[in-house]
Each structure stands twice: as structure tokens, then as C-alpha cells.
């Protein structure tokens, strides 16, 4: 500032203030505070970090939707600057007084949409005159709710938009979607898909893919995939035309990253229908083969009662438990049945790999289920599979779910009984060892008493011998 004098006042440097970035030109402080709900409501919002600050441009209108302000962390100082200019420039330089009012660590800003501000207006069809009917429809007290049956109808939706944040992303056109294989940042599905893969929605009319996408053939040349890994997966699809991912990883011993590159070159993926989430070999149509009923999707979701949820964990929890056991190398409680989260089959006397898991029906290695699959009657000539249930009866899925649920309950009960027997044996052995300790202590005390008595007798004998000698 050159020769100007600067005076800094630091009296308010320890005062904490909150910044509100008001989206408007403030000419009246009282009206501005009223649009934010008043001082009482503002203080309640400031005291709760999870609440949002509401801004109503028409606070007296109950049909007005507020704009929401979010809180974020901030760092800064609130300062007040006063400049004192002398009347005569020759008398001296200007004086600047900088006063620190406080420091800011939190602020509220309004980046959300204001949505639609609905005004209670009504148009007269005869005169075409629009009138403001707020006083006719807004109740002033409890009696007005029942005493105004002739009030005009005025209903507004609760919300007008699903989200109140601005979306700046650009949608991709259908033409670009065909040529660009997901390389651009666009709005799409929540779950990313492998580039070049064939994702098929099940239907009874359209043909299914016969060959892989040429893009995948080029990708195989770029990615490092060994011939042994590729041959293992190819041989599995030669033996069985339909697989799920976890079974392929288990049988081929190929990692998931490598399998993502190999699978699109050998099979297409069903997103809907009886074979949902399954990979089907190119050229194979499950709609024409009754044997494909063995590979239909069985989506198992166990509804746990109280207490069983702690025994059968979700997939993420089960994987974390496996990681903990690998790190600690410890065998914990005997009453906890183990889950093999990477095992693709379900057998008798075991728990499912997670609370929700997807099998093929051939993966259910239970005698009752396999017997039911064999007893499914062959379709008549010319019959086609159902779009929802495939080649199986409508109640087949429910019967299998009940069988597996009963198997899990029986397994958990047997494990609990075995654990209880082991615990009782341990308690009995502990009691026996304690009794033996007590008996050993008693014997030791008797031995010490006898030894003490013998010493006393020897002392008495020595004294008698001395007396006789004297």
C-alpha cells in the first residue's frame, strides 16, 4: 500500500463463525433471515452436522419447495477493513484499519436445484382472469380445515425431481454406442461390463450369438493369456456348454482377471431368463435342448431367523473371515460351522458359501434335488421352454429352496450338538483335573503333617538321651 498506514486489530481472532453463501442480493437482513427459517431454525441446523439448511424464497407460501444448502469444511478469516482518507492529500497518507471479526471452519452453500416454485393460482374459464387463491385454500387454524368445504382444489406433488443435484454429464447417442466400446465417460449402468462381450437378454424369438466379437480376438493377442489357461477353459466348455463364473474359476484354476479376457471369446452371457448370470458356449441354444434344464440358474437367498445370521455370513464377510484365518492360522470356536466361500457346489452337511449365492441345478449335489431333476417329464414334440421357468415346472424352484433350507438347519443343529458334547467333555475333564489337584493337595498336607510329627518325635528322643547321659 505504499506509504499508507495499516492498523490490524486481532481481538476477534478466537471467535468461531459459520459462513452461509446466500444465493441472492441481500438488501434486508431480516427478510434474508426469514427465508432461511428464522434464527431459531438456523441455530438448530448449525448444531446438527447432518441437517441441511433450507432456503424458501416465499416463506409465507406453504406450497413453496425449499432449496437445500449443504455444509462443507472451510478455512478463512472474516475481516472488516476501514479506510480513512485525509481531506487534504498533503496532510498525510491514508489509514487502513483491518479488524479480524473471527475465523471460519464451516460453510453452507446452495448448489442444489431449486426445483419448481409452485404458486397457488387459478384461472377463471369465463373471464380468463388468473387470481391468487392462497388465502382461500391455506388454513389459518385447525377450524379452517373443516370449515372450508367450498375451497378450490389445489394439489401439488411432494417432489418434482428425483435428485436435487445438477447433472452435467452428456448422454451418448445410440450411434456412438455401437462404435465406441465403452471408452468414454458417459452415464451408463451401475455395473461395468467387459468390452466386446455379448450380453444377451433371454427371449423365445431372436437367435443367440454364434461367434465371438472380432474385438475380443484382437484383445486376446494383446493380453497375456497362456495356451494352458486358454485350453483349460475351452475344455470345460467342450464338456459342459453352460457355466457360471465361480465354477469356472474353481475348476480351471484360472484367475478372475484372466478369465474376464478368455470368457467373451468362448461364450455369451445371459442377463435375464432361466439361465441368468450364466455363460453359454457360442452356437449352443438352451431353448432347443431339454438337457439344459440341469444348468438353469438357481438363485438361493436364505431368509435367516434370529441368531442364524451370525453363522451364515455374506460373501464379503466370509472372505474377510478367510483372510483373518489365513493371517492368524488359528482354529477358533468349535461351534462355528465353516463356509467355503470359493466352493461352487452345495453338498449335504455343509453351509452355503454366502447368504445369497447362485448355482446351477447340477451344482446342487443333494440326492433329493437330483432325483427331482431326473423325474421331470420330457416335453412333447414341438414344445418350447418357458420364458421364466425354462424346462422345469413352476414350483420346482420353491421345492429346491425348501430342501436346501432344511439341510442347512439340520447341519447347524448337528454342529451345535457336537459342540455342546465337546464342551461338556471339556468341563468334565476340567472338573476331574481339579479334583485330582485337591486330592494331591490333601496327600501333600498329610505327608507334611506326618513328617512334622516324626521330626517332633526325634527331637523328644534326643532330649531324653541327653538327660540320661547327664
Amino acid at each position: 500500500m505504499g506509504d499508507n498506514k495499516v492498523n490490524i486489530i486481532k481481538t476477534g481472532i478466537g471467535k468461531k463463525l459459520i459462513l452461509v453463501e446466500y444465493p441472492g442480493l441481500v438488501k434486508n437482513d431480516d427478510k434474508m433471515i426469514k427465508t432461511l427459517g428464522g434464527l431459531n431454525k438456523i441455530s438448530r441446523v448449525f448444531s446438527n452436522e447432518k441437517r441441511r439448511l433450507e432456503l424458501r424464497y416465499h416463506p409465507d407460501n406453504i406450497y413453496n419447495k425449499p432449496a437445500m444448502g449443504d455444509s462443507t469444511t472451510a478455512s478463512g478469516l472474516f475481516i472488516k477493513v476501514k479506510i480513512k482518507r485525509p481531506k487534504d492529500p498533503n496532510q498525510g497518507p491514508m489509514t487502513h484499519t483491518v479488524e479480524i471479526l473471527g475465523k471460519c471452519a464451516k460453510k453452507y452453500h446452495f448448489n442444489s436445484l431449486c426445483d419448481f416454485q409452485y404458486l397457488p393460482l387459478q384461472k377463471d374459464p369465463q373471464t380468463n382472469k388468473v387470481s391468487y387463491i392462497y388465502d382461500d385454500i391455506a388454513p389459518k387454524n385447525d377450524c379452517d380445515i373443516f370449515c372450508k368445504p367450498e375451497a378450490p382444489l389445489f394439489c401439488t406433488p411432494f417432489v418434482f425431481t428425483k435428485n436435487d443435484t445438477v447433472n452435467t454429464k452428456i448422454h451418448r447417442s445410440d450411434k456412438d454406442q455401437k462404435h465406441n466400446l465403452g471408452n468414454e465417460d458417459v452415464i451408463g449402468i451401475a455395473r461395468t461390463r467387459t468390452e466386446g462381450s455379448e450380453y444377451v437378454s433371454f427371449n423365445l424369438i431372436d437367435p443367440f450369438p454364434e461367434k465371438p466379437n472380432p474385438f475380443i480376438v484382437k484383445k486376446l493377442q494383446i493380453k497375456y493369456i497362456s495356451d494352458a489357461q486358454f485350453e483349460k477353459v475351452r475344455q470345460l466348455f467342450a464338456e459342459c456348454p453352460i457355466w457360471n463364473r465361480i465354477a469356472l474359476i474353481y475348476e480351471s484354476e484360472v484367475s478372475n482377471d484372466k478369465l474376464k479376457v478368455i470368457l467373451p471369446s468362448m461364450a455369451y452371457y445371459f442377463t435375464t431368463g432361466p439361465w441368468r448370470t450364466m455363460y453359454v458356449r457360442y452356437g449352443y441354444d438352451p431353448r432347443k435342448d431339454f438337457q439344459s434344464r440341469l444348468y438353469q440358474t438357481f438363485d438361493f437367498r436364505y431368509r435367516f431367523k434370529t441368531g442364524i445370521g451370525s453363522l451364515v455370513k455374506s460373501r464379503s464377510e466370509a472372505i474377510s473371515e478367510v483372510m483373518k484365518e489365513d493371517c492368524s492360522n488359528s482354529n477358533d470356536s468349535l461351534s462355528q460351522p465353516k463356509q467355503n466361500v470359493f466352493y461352487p457346489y452345495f453338498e449335504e452337511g455343509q453351509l452355503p458359501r454366502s447368504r445369497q449365492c447362485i448355482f446351477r441345478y447340477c451344482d446342487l449335489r443333494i440326492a433329493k434335488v437330483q432325483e427331482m431333476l431326473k423325474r421331470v417329464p420330457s416335453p412333447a414334440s414341438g414344445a418350447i421352454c418357458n420364458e421364466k421357468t425354462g424346462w422345469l415346472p413352476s414350483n420346482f424352484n420353491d421345492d429346491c429352496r425348501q430342501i436346501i433350507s432344511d439341510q442347512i438347519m439340520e447341519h447347524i443343529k448337528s454342529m451345535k450338538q457336537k459342540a455342546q458334547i465337546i464342551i461338556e467333555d471339556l468341563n468334565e475333564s476340567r472338573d476331574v483335573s481339579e479334583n485330582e489337584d485337591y486330592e494331591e493337595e490333601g496327600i501333600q498336607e498329610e505327608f507334611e503333617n506326618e513328617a512334622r510329627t516324626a521330626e517332633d518325635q526325634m527331637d523328644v528322643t534326643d532330649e531324653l538321651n541327653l538327660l540320661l547321659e547327664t
Side-chain angles (χ1 to χ4, degrees), residues 215-258:
F215 174 78
I216 292 298
V217 179
K218 295 181 180 179
K219 192 173 182 180
L220 280 173
Q221 298 174 357
I222 299 173
K223 295 287 184 178
Y224 176 70
I225 304 295
S226 65
D227 295 337
Q229 292 172 338
F230 187 85
E231 185 61 25
K232 282 183 180 179
V233 180
R234 191 198 64 78
Q235 186 176 359
L236 288 175
F237 273 104
E239 297 173 357
C240 177
I242 301 176
W243 289 87
N244 59 0
R245 184 185 292 272
I246 189 171
L248 284 171
I249 294 174
Y250 181 82
E251 295 293 343
S252 65
E253 298 180 352
V254 177
S255 65
N256 188 32
D257 295 335
K258 302 293 184 182

Side-chain angles (χ1 to χ4, degrees), residues 201-208 285 287 384 387:
S201 298
F202 184 82
N203 59 78
L204 302 175
I205 302 173
D206 299 332
F208 294 147
D285 192 346
R287 299 172 299 185
I384 57 176
E387 194 168 355

Side-chain angles (χ1 to χ4, degrees), residues 5-283:
K5 296 181 179 180
V6 179
N7 299 325
I8 301 176
I9 303 173
K10 301 180 180 180
T11 55
I13 196 169
K15 189 176 181 180
K16 295 182 180 180
L17 300 176
I18 297 176
L19 172 63
V20 177
E21 297 180 353
Y22 190 82
L25 181 61
V26 179
K27 295 183 178 180
N28 189 314
D29 296 342
D30 295 334
K31 290 183 178 180
M32 183 267 293
I33 293 174
K34 187 177 180 181
T35 58
L36 296 175
L39 292 176
N40 292 332
K41 189 171 183 178
I42 293 173
S43 62
R44 288 197 299 269
V45 173
F46 287 172
S47 60
N48 190 349
E49 296 182 356
K50 295 183 179 180
R51 293 190 61 176
R52 307 173 77 187
L53 188 62
E54 295 183 0
L55 170 63
R56 298 179 183 270
Y57 289 107
H58 305 282
D60 296 329
N61 182 6
I62 62 175
Y63 301 103
N64 174 246
K65 187 180 184 302
M68 310 303 293
D70 300 302
S71 64
T72 56
T73 58
S75 60
L77 294 175
F78 289 99
I79 60 175
K80 181 180 180 181
V81 181
K82 291 183 179 179
I83 302 175
K84 186 178 180 180
R85 295 181 177 86
K87 295 181 180 180
D88 188 0
N90 298 325
Q91 293 180 357
M94 293 186 297
T95 303
H96 295 78
T97 302
V98 179
E99 182 182 0
I100 299 177
L101 303 178
K103 59 182 180 180
C104 172
K106 183 180 179 180
K107 72 174 182 178
Y108 285 85
H109 61 285
F110 296 86
N111 287 339
S112 62
L113 293 171
C114 292
D115 212 332
F116 299 91
Q117 307 300 321
Y118 227 83
L119 293 176
L121 302 175
Q122 189 178 47
K123 185 177 180 181
D124 191 351
Q126 298 179 354
T127 61
N128 291 330
K129 184 179 179 181
V130 179
S131 58
Y132 187 73
I133 60 172
Y134 182 80
D135 296 333
D136 297 334
I137 59 177
K140 297 180 177 61
N141 49 51
D142 297 339
C143 296
D144 290 348
I145 300 175
F146 305 99
C147 297
K148 287 188 176 182
E150 70 283 356
L153 296 176
F154 183 76
C155 299
T156 59
F158 180 71
V159 291
F160 294 91
T161 58
K162 186 176 181 180
N163 300 318
D164 60 356
T165 56
V166 180
N167 190 357
T168 59
K169 294 184 178 180
I170 301 174
H171 291 268
R172 182 175 58 190
S173 63
D174 294 338
K175 294 181 180 179
D176 296 336
Q177 187 174 2
K178 292 179 181 179
H179 298 290
N180 298 328
L181 297 173
N183 295 323
E184 299 179 0
D185 295 331
V186 294
I187 298 176
I189 57 175
R191 186 175 180 179
T192 59
R193 292 182 172 182
T194 306
E195 297 179 358
S197 301
E198 293 287 352
Y199 293 91
V200 178
S201 298
F202 184 82
N203 59 78
L204 302 175
I205 302 173
D206 299 332
F208 294 147
E210 298 284 339
K211 296 180 180 180
N213 192 322
F215 174 78
I216 292 298
V217 179
K218 295 181 180 179
K219 192 173 182 180
L220 280 173
Q221 298 174 357
I222 299 173
K223 295 287 184 178
Y224 176 70
I225 304 295
S226 65
D227 295 337
Q229 292 172 338
F230 187 85
E231 185 61 25
K232 282 183 180 179
V233 180
R234 191 198 64 78
Q235 186 176 359
L236 288 175
F237 273 104
E239 297 173 357
C240 177
I242 301 176
W243 289 87
N244 59 0
R245 184 185 292 272
I246 189 171
L248 284 171
I249 294 174
Y250 181 82
E251 295 293 343
S252 65
E253 298 180 352
V254 177
S255 65
N256 188 32
D257 295 335
K258 302 293 184 182
L259 202 62
K260 285 181 180 180
V261 183
I262 298 174
L263 274 177
S265 65
M266 294 187 182
Y268 57 91
Y269 181 84
F270 270 126
T271 58
T272 58
W275 293 272
R276 182 176 62 88
T277 69
M278 295 295 167
Y279 290 90
V280 184
R281 186 182 63 207
Y282 285 116

Side-chain angles (χ1 to χ4, degrees), residues 296-328:
Q296 289 184 204
T297 302
F298 177 70
D299 190 350
F300 181 73
R301 307 183 187 191
Y302 195 80
R303 296 182 180 272
F304 293 95
K305 298 180 181 179
T306 305
I308 303 180
S310 60
L311 299 177
V312 183
K313 297 178 172 53
S314 63
R315 179 173 175 81
S316 58
E317 293 174 344
I319 292 176
S320 63
E321 289 291 333
V322 172
M323 298 298 291
K324 289 179 182 178
E325 290 180 2
D326 292 342
C327 295
S328 60

Side-chain angles (χ1 to χ4, degrees), residues 439-452:
E439 291 177 0
E440 289 179 359
E441 290 178 0
I443 294 170
Q444 184 69 19
E445 289 179 358
E446 292 179 0
F447 178 77
E448 291 177 356
N449 292 333
E450 291 177 357
R452 196 175 297 111

